[in-house]
Amino acid sequence: MADYIIAIDQGTTSSRAIIFDKKGSIVATGQKEHEQILPKAGWVEHDPIEIWRNVQEVIGLALSRADLTRHDIAAVGITNQRETAVVWDRTTGKPVYNAIVWQDTRTQDIVDRLAADGGGDRFKQVVGLPLATYFSGTKITWILENVEGAREKAEAGDLAFGTTDSWVLWNLTGGTDGGVHVTDVTNASRTMFMDLETLEWRDDILEAFGVPRSMMPEIRSSSEVYGAAESSSLLRETPIAGILGDQQAATFGQAAFQKGESKNTYGTGCFLIFNTGEDIVHSKNGLLTTVGYKLGDGPTHYALEGSIAVTGSLIQWLRDQLGIIQTAPEVEELARQVEDNGGVYIVPAFSGLFAPYWRPDARGAIVGLTRYANRNHIARAALEAVAYQTRDVLDAVNADAGVDLTELKVDGGMVANDALMQFQADVLGVPVVRPVVAETTALGAAYAAGLAVGFWNGLDDLSANWQEDKRWEPTMEEGERDRLLRQWRKAVTKSMDWVDDDVA
Ligand SMILES: Nc1ncnc2c1ncn2[C@@H]1O[C@H](COP(=O)(O)OP(=O)(O)OP(=O)(O)O)[C@@H](O)[C@H]1O
Ligand SMILES: [Mg+2]
């Protein structure tokens, strides 16, 4: 009897495999970080081979820690860092270039070229997204234009594109020996190429980007059997039955299935998703329109999304680049040693500013420095930046929705930080709520897979699994909140208009 589901979470900083039971509780986890390859300013790459090796390793770790085998696993779900583009040769199984990561800004020239004819929003009505380096589309174009021989191979039909869900699925199902080349609707909605209404690739947009349609994976729902793991895998013959991009997976794992429900995930970046049900809503306030989920032949659920590029990665930057902390949790100890931010604000526009500003010309700024400022203030300003950016996005969601959210469900690695969560409630002025299982990303993928194979019977089963762990109530006075927000917004203006011809 198979009593468990395994989820593979192929994230930006690490790959995880997590085994869940029927209650949605974690039974065992395997996790491994991969290298962040930073060849020059603005470039971020991953090695797809390393990622695939790590995925196999963490599956083994999770199974052995739980003392289980494939016979105990009913299905496999996959969730992934979105937009990160892998292009590989389907005849050899080898990537033609490293994966170009979602944070990478090298394709700004391609964005500008495309925007010159029809503006930055020329495809927005169809795909829900503005032209930006963030999405997969221009990353594929860059590979085809810059990797020797890639264009010819692509025209010959030898190259395949995928976000890392597709890369993992193709390898897990046999690779060059019958690998399944598929993605799900949520990942497809982050490429710039999928029509939100028909859920099909648009030939006219592919053509504008110079991307042959033969490279593209088949678009399927988020919950159905795509194939089975191949014979040499530890999961041999186990059905792979769910795929959701990480942020949509977290929304699903939070059981935010219905119109009007939302969540904010605090990981490498922060991503607030607001479910708009079966309606495609176009934002007037800098949010993206995206697919939330689609279960088998069921209706498509859409969402508005506020994407913030840099939150947890700002803490990693304090650790790895500045060296003022050794581990991420230490940032809280540092920040607690001071009463306030000492007038210091950090605007972490490392990849420009994403939602709700969408300003590629912005770059990171630390402002308000005086001789008084110390590393405690910097630590505090870093945590505050996470909360302020979320406030900006929440304001956009409230404006688009026409009604204000009354509380915010949160998850992701940073929600372990109590000081941050209290400050978040304070600057939002609404309660912040954390569920027992904060690994909602993996849980959502497990749910999608389990639903497809009848492990769970329906959404009610899943809602019943959601349990509150902790709630932070706002305690800050309104006048103080407003004062801080005014200063934050002033700081944001200082990060803008930085990139020009003098800045490579
Ligand atoms: N106690 C903490 N305080 C502040 N930040 C933290 C804390 N613990 C973890 N983080 C940050 O949270 C992030 C890890 O969170 P999480 O594991 O959810 O990331 P993730 O986005 O899922 O990773 P990936 O991008 O690989 O998917 C890291 O960027 C880390 O710096
Ligand atoms: Mg993640």
Side-chain angles (χ1 to χ4, degrees):
M1 190 33 196
D3 289 330
Y4 305 96
I5 302 282
I6 192 166
I8 298 166
D9 176 1
Q10 200 304 294
T12 308
T13 49
S14 73
S15 302
R16 298 177 175 91
I18 305 187
I19 298 172
F20 292 95
D21 65 15
K22 218 161 240 173
K23 289 201 146 58
S25 301
I26 293 175
V27 177
T29 301
Q31 180 171 8
K32 196 156 186 220
E33 288 204 11
H34 52 264
E35 188 187 352
Q36 303 296 313
I37 304 166
L38 310 168
K40 47 174 119 166
W43 292 34
V44 188
E45 301 177 359
H46 295 156
D47 175 1
I49 301 284
E50 180 189 10
I51 282 181
W52 170 233
R53 210 187 310 121
N54 288 359
V55 165
Q56 292 166 283
E57 199 176 318
V58 297
I59 291 169
L61 277 173
L63 285 171
S64 68
R65 282 176 186 157
D67 200 16
L68 297 173
T69 72
R70 65 191 177 92
H71 300 288
D72 302 299
I73 306 293
V76 185
I78 300 176
T79 178
N80 58 295
Q81 54 169 323
R82 306 172 302 170
E83 300 97 10
T84 296
V86 188
V87 175
W88 70 94
D89 186 326
R90 49 175 118 238
T91 64
T92 64
K94 292 212 171 69
V96 300
Y97 190 77
N98 276 336
I100 301 184
V101 179
W102 57 273
Q103 302 133 322
D104 192 296
T105 58
R106 81 183 66 184
T107 59
Q108 190 61 46
D109 286 351
I110 299 174
V111 166
D112 294 343
R113 197 168 80 204
L114 285 161
D117 176 16
D121 285 346
R122 65 185 277 205
F123 305 115
K124 195 158 184 245
Q125 199 59 27
V126 178
V127 303
L129 314 171
L131 276 167
T133 59
Y134 175 26
F135 309 108
S136 318
T138 58
K139 302 181 197 295
I140 311 175
T141 304
W142 189 93
I143 289 175
L144 294 178
E145 291 180 357
N146 291 279
V147 176
E148 214 184 305
R151 167 76 59 198
E152 294 69 37
K153 280 189 192 161
E155 302 292 352
D158 287 344
L159 295 192
F161 153 76
T163 34
T164 62
D165 56 318
S166 300
W167 170 244
V168 168
L169 178 71
W170 188 78
N171 281 291
L172 194 56
T173 53
T176 51
D177 186 17
V180 174
H181 189 209
V182 157
T183 192
D184 90 305
V185 286
T186 65
N187 277 294
S189 77
R190 317 296 294 188
T191 55
M192 291 290 309
F193 299 147
M194 190 186 77
D195 185 322
L196 285 172
E197 299 217 14
T198 63
L199 305 180
E200 283 170 12
W201 302 125
R202 284 279 296 232
D203 286 317
D204 54 339
I205 306 179
L206 285 165
E207 198 172 314
F209 280 67
V211 174
R213 193 188 173 107
S214 62
M215 292 177 73
M216 301 304 287
E218 190 185 335
I219 303 174
R220 303 272 281 272
S221 82
S222 317
S223 175
E224 61 178 274
V225 176
Y226 312 105
E230 51 90 23
S231 55
S232 73
S233 162
L234 289 173
L235 294 169
R236 142 171 104 254
E237 291 168 19
T238 313
I240 300 143
I243 303 178
L244 285 162
D246 56 7
Q247 301 309 321
Q248 284 87 344
T251 314
F252 207 69
Q254 284 269 23
F257 306 127
Q258 310 304 332
K259 188 171 177 167
E261 295 188 304
S262 62
K263 67 88 209 183
N264 193 29
T265 300
Y266 298 74
T268 303
C270 259
F271 301 85
L272 200 154
I273 289 196
F274 178 78
N275 187 331
T276 60
E278 293 175 44
D279 302 329
I280 299 176
V281 177
H282 289 280
S283 175
K284 294 185 176 65
N285 297 283
L287 304 175
L288 308 174
T289 306
T290 200
V291 176
Y293 66 90
K294 175 177 161 61
L295 307 176
D297 296 333
T300 309
H301 291 250
Y302 297 91
L304 285 168
E305 174 179 316
S307 326
I308 304 167
V310 180
T311 56
S313 55
L314 179 59
I315 309 306
Q316 291 175 332
W317 181 77
L318 295 182
R319 185 192 64 186
D320 302 338
Q321 256 78 2
L322 292 195
I324 67 169
I325 49 173
Q326 260 70 56
T327 65
E330 277 174 40
V331 72
E332 183 167 357
E333 291 163 39
L334 276 192
R336 278 192 190 282
Q337 288 169 32
V338 282
E339 292 280 292
D340 55 35
N341 62 18
V344 178
Y345 291 80
I346 305 181
V347 185
F350 297 161
S351 307
L353 284 168
F354 282 24
Y357 302 101
W358 298 107
R359 290 288 297 255
D361 58 303
R363 279 299 177 268
I366 303 181
V367 299
L369 288 175
T370 59
R371 183 70 180 78
Y372 169 72
N374 60 33
R375 55 203 221 119
N376 300 318
H377 296 116
I378 299 283
R380 187 155 179 132
L383 290 177
E384 290 190 357
V386 176
Y388 294 134
Q389 292 186 96
T390 297
R391 164 73 195 230
D392 287 343
V393 164
L394 194 83
D395 285 349
V397 169
N398 286 341
D400 275 335
V403 279
D404 288 0
L405 290 187
T406 52
E407 63 173 37
L408 186 65
K409 281 180 168 181
V410 300
D411 54 64
M414 297 189 89
V415 303
N417 191 312
D418 204 61
L420 171 61
M421 290 298 107
Q422 182 57 53
F423 189 74
Q424 183 69 85
D426 285 340
V427 297
L428 293 180
V430 297
V432 166
V433 186
R434 178 175 76 193
V436 171
V437 180
E439 287 278 4
T440 51
T441 302
L443 182 59
Y447 280 167
L451 284 172
V453 297
F455 184 82
W456 286 291
N457 293 318
L459 299 182
D460 290 346
D461 278 7
L462 309 182
S463 298
N465 283 344
W466 193 94
Q467 278 183 308
E468 181 173 320
D469 175 46
K470 187 156 182 190
R471 174 177 289 262
W472 290 267
E473 299 285 345
T475 56
M476 188 181 279
E477 280 181 21
E478 207 176 323
E480 174 64 358
R481 175 190 310 141
D482 291 346
R483 189 182 70 85
L484 293 175
L485 285 169
R486 279 195 304 273
Q487 292 190 91
W488 162 253
R489 282 169 192 154
K490 188 162 59 180
V492 169
T493 65
K494 308 290 176 194
S495 75
M496 293 174 172
D497 291 318
W498 183 255
V499 177
D500 56 21
D501 289 344
D502 293 332
V503 182

